[in-house]
Amino acid sequence: MKALRFKGLLQKDKWIMPAYVKLDEHGTILSIKKQKQEGVTYKNINGFAIPGLQNAHSHAFQYAMVGLTEYHDHKQTRDDFWGWRKAMYQLALSINPDQMEAIATMLYAEMLRHGYTEVAEFHYVHHDLSGAHYNNKAELGARLIAAAKKVGIKITLIPVFYQKGGFGQDSTAGQIRFLSKNMDEYLELLASSERAISYYEEASIGASVHSMRAVDPPIIKELSKHINSTMPFHMHISEQLKEIEASMAFLGKRPVEWLTEEIDLNDTYHLVHATHLTDQETKALAHSKANAVLCPSTEGNLGDGIFPLGLYQQEGGNWSIGTDSHIGINPFEELRFLDYRQRVTTHQRNIFIGQEEFDSGLYAINKLVLNGRKAMGKMTNNFFEIGQSFDALVLDATVPTLANCAPKYLASTIVYATDVSMYLGTMINGEWLVKKGKHIQHRAINKLFSKCLKELKNRV
């Protein structure tokens, strides 16, 4: 048994101060109390424990290209998502399995350093460099599982169904590593991926179509019935204006309009971006109980658009956070970007609102964690629960702005006014994986990633 004392521990509705936590040998919570138990020796941690955070949308391989698409030829008069996508395809067409694992290992270690303890990996690079299947159809997915296991992060592998080059269009040469010809072929990939996760006890599985433009709409309907809420179902939706125009031309409806009318959505569905919605679509999406997955740093970097958060929340919509292309990995930065975009477009400050108290920070952490767990296929009622693993980001209680903060201001101070220099570290299953800003295997991880980048030669 392990016994820990924290200066404070955050639950979904309040701080427990101090907090005495007992764990079994596997890091499972046995008890959480405000008073210590007689006869038990507690290890004192002078920190504030908040729940480990959930990254609900990741394309791990793209971490190898962060920062590289901001250099523009002086003759280039316009750049947008579609220009960025060409560079992304070049990377996707060049990496081998060892490099995929090295990139993901570095990325996942960085996620842990920033407080993420779980990641939903939206994985669509499936085949070899020629577009042929590996002997193990989930070879690259298995490498992502291996990377997660190496660093200790919990992962939901989401193998992506990718079939078309656009609405009614054949696939392109840049997509040859992504493709499943039909639903049967995708289900074989999904089954192979389920076998791959069996090698890591902290791995789970989800299903996905890349987007409405990438899979024939009748097949999306068929797959949604086949999956039937047995696992989380993720897809990109309405990220780009060009996508919406193509949907209107092909289907006579906007993407979210079609989806909410044709699919029996529920809270196992996780729709990524949704940056271009009408008011009617926003309301329909919220009422469907499907979850929006918002990736503010990537959406800003790519010039995607701004999610209509105010109306969506008013209608009872739920959302979580992802880092997508990983141009940013800080979860609190994602929350700030999300909030501040709404502030500058509405000229109001209380955008994140709770039902009882106007605590923006606590409200945002609730959304990120509880809905983020849904994106992993997990349903919980509180941040820390008896019988669940103890996964936490621990902030340094000696930092003056935290040490002198009344409980009612503490969650918002953490969300709006901290950075990684103020963290003691990240724990999973009651064990420190990151301490004082460094993963416990940081030297080996950095060396492997540096070797990978030298091989790719994309930064020279």
Side-chain angles (χ1 to χ4, degrees):
M1 187 190 75
K2 179 182 291 187
L4 305 172
R5 179 196 182 276
F6 296 93
K7 184 172 182 180
L9 179 142
L10 183 62
Q11 293 286 36
K12 70 175 184 179
D13 57 350
K14 64 181 179 181
W15 285 94
I16 298 173
M17 294 185 172
Y20 295 88
V21 181
K22 289 201 304 183
L23 311 174
D24 69 12
E25 66 272 21
H26 304 295
T28 301
I29 300 171
L30 298 174
S31 67
I32 302 172
K33 298 183 181 299
K34 290 185 70 173
Q35 292 83 30
K36 62 182 179 180
Q37 181 179 333
E38 293 299 326
V40 176
T41 301
Y42 292 87
K43 179 178 177 57
N44 184 59
I45 298 175
N46 193 14
F48 296 107
I50 71 170
L53 305 172
Q54 286 63 43
N55 190 333
H57 191 67
S58 164
H59 306 300
F61 77 94
Q62 293 179 15
Y63 187 58
M65 60 180 282
V66 293
L68 298 184
T69 60
E70 310 309 317
Y71 183 87
H72 305 288
D73 190 304
H74 73 281
K75 297 177 182 178
Q76 186 176 0
T77 58
R78 177 180 174 83
D79 187 29
D80 58 15
F81 168 85
W82 307 100
W84 172 90
R85 192 176 75 160
K86 290 180 182 178
M88 182 270 287
Y89 279 2
Q90 290 175 353
L91 176 62
L93 289 169
S94 66
I95 56 176
N96 64 39
D98 289 343
Q99 292 164 343
M100 175 70 85
E101 185 173 338
I103 296 165
T105 300
M106 184 75 234
L107 171 66
Y108 294 160
E110 282 294 283
M111 286 184 187
L112 282 166
R113 190 169 71 88
H114 284 85
Y116 290 114
T117 55
E118 296 181 87
V119 57
E121 183 58 48
F122 193 93
H123 167 55
Y124 56 82
V125 184
H126 302 304
H127 311 314
D128 70 16
L129 297 179
S130 69
H133 294 297
Y134 288 100
N135 290 334
N136 173 9
K137 287 182 177 163
E139 171 67 27
L140 291 173
R143 294 306 189 103
L144 295 165
I145 298 297
K149 184 175 183 179
K150 191 177 298 181
V151 304
I153 199 169
K154 298 180 178 181
I155 184 171
T156 300
L157 181 65
I158 304 171
V160 173
F161 188 1
Y162 206 122
Q163 180 194 33
K164 310 289 288 185
F167 288 99
Q169 299 177 10
D170 292 335
S171 60
T172 68
Q175 298 163 338
I176 60 172
R177 302 190 74 181
F178 310 163
L179 303 174
S180 298
K181 295 177 183 177
N182 50 46
M183 193 171 100
D184 287 342
E185 193 169 298
Y186 173 70
L187 292 176
E188 290 177 8
L189 172 65
L190 186 61
S192 295
S193 300
E194 288 191 88
R195 289 190 290 272
I197 70 168
S198 68
Y199 295 101
Y200 180 34
E201 61 184 6
E202 302 292 2
S204 59
I205 195 77
S208 171
V209 298
H210 177 272
S211 55
M212 282 181 55
R213 70 176 185 269
V215 176
D216 282 327
I219 297 179
I220 296 176
K221 293 174 68 173
E222 186 180 358
L223 181 63
S224 70
K225 292 175 183 177
H226 181 88
I227 299 301
N228 195 29
S229 301
T230 58
M231 60 182 72
F233 192 107
H234 292 233
M235 68 181 295
H236 294 133
I237 195 82
S238 295
E239 182 181 3
Q240 291 292 318
L241 292 171
K242 183 178 177 180
E243 172 190 359
I244 293 170
E245 293 167 2
S247 178
M248 289 291 293
F250 187 73
L251 293 171
K253 294 181 180 179
R254 297 166 63 91
V256 169
E257 180 186 11
W258 183 91
L259 198 71
T260 54
E261 291 178 3
E262 300 292 335
I263 305 293
D264 185 18
L265 298 176
N266 55 53
D267 66 356
T268 65
Y269 284 82
H270 301 271
L271 308 182
V272 185
H273 302 310
T275 44
H276 299 286
L277 303 183
T278 64
D279 286 355
Q280 183 177 347
E281 286 179 300
T282 303
K283 293 176 182 179
L285 182 58
H287 298 165
S288 76
K289 303 305 180 185
N291 301 279
V293 182
L294 310 176
C295 308
S297 62
T298 289
E299 290 155 6
N301 183 265
L302 298 181
D304 286 345
I306 299 175
F307 180 78
L309 185 66
L311 178 59
Y312 184 70
Q313 289 185 144
Q314 289 172 24
E315 297 295 322
N318 282 319
W319 51 268
S320 58
I321 288 292
T323 60
D324 196 346
S325 70
H326 316 299
I327 193 68
I329 312 178
N330 184 331
F332 301 132
E333 185 177 78
E334 300 293 335
L335 292 174
R336 293 192 287 265
F337 281 166
L338 178 63
D339 187 3
Y340 294 163
R341 285 177 190 167
Q342 304 298 318
R343 295 188 186 197
V344 299
T345 54
T346 64
H347 312 295
Q348 297 180 14
R349 300 189 66 250
N350 58 335
I351 300 303
F352 291 155
I353 54 173
Q355 296 302 310
E356 297 178 2
E357 293 188 13
F358 295 101
D359 187 341
S360 294
L362 183 57
Y363 180 81
I365 294 172
N366 264 276
K367 292 295 184 182
L368 191 160
V369 172
L370 298 180
N371 296 319
R373 288 176 181 171
K374 287 182 187 178
M376 314 295 157
K378 302 173 183 178
M379 303 287 284
T380 57
N381 295 315
N382 212 336
F383 291 167
F384 297 96
E385 297 180 337
I386 308 303
Q388 300 297 318
S389 59
F390 186 80
D391 303 336
L393 169 62
V394 185
L395 292 101
D396 186 351
T398 69
V399 172
T401 50
L402 300 178
N404 297 284
C405 198
K408 70 176 182 178
Y409 299 124
L410 191 52
S412 285
T413 300
I414 289 170
V415 169
Y416 291 94
T418 63
D419 58 47
V420 292
S421 70
M422 302 175 184
Y423 303 168
L424 290 181
T426 307
M427 305 178 83
I428 288 188
N429 298 330
E431 299 291 338
W432 291 105
L433 295 184
V434 175
K435 292 191 76 172
K436 297 181 179 179
K438 293 184 182 296
H439 190 277
I440 57 176
Q441 302 176 59
H442 71 275
R443 290 188 178 88
I445 292 168
N446 289 357
K447 183 177 180 181
L448 186 67
F449 184 55
S450 183
K451 176 177 178 290
C452 169
L453 293 181
K454 288 175 181 176
E455 292 171 351
L456 289 172
K457 298 180 180 179
N458 64 339
R459 291 185 172 269
V460 295

